[in-house]
Amino acid sequence: MSEKTELISKMLEMQKKFIAYEHDNGVSMADYYAAKEGHTLHNYREEYAELAAKVNAMAHEEKGSKRFY
């Protein structure tokens, strides 16, 4: 399995866990943006964004395109 495929699989697993948590408990803005250490969503947003950025960079590299930020 390629690294990009592994990252995407991890992102999908994270989404499934997030949705399950949300259905069972609800998610407040504090939970999503500033969950305390030990909370299921602690660092979720940051980790997911990091994975998404890596996948995005890999896709641009594969196609030879450039990102404009």
Side-chain angles (χ1 to χ4, degrees):
M1 188 178 328
S2 73
E3 181 182 5
K4 186 173 84 171
T5 302
E6 288 178 22
L7 293 173
I8 292 169
S9 293
K10 184 172 183 177
M11 291 171 67
L12 290 170
E13 187 60 34
M14 288 177 71
Q15 287 177 352
K16 287 178 191 176
K17 289 179 181 177
F18 178 89
I19 291 167
Y21 180 86
E22 181 184 29
H23 283 238
D24 292 343
N25 306 292
V27 175
S28 69
M29 291 187 74
D31 289 341
Y32 185 72
Y33 288 102
K36 303 281 188 228
E37 193 167 337
H39 190 285
T40 302
L41 297 179
H42 179 69
N43 287 333
Y44 171 85
R45 190 174 54 88
E46 294 86 352
E47 183 179 352
Y48 192 88
E50 184 179 313
L51 293 172
K54 285 180 183 178
V55 170
N56 187 312
M58 289 176 175
H60 278 288
E61 189 175 314
E62 285 175 5
K63 293 297 180 183
S65 60
K66 297 189 186 312
R67 297 174 0 174
F68 297 100
Y69 290 75

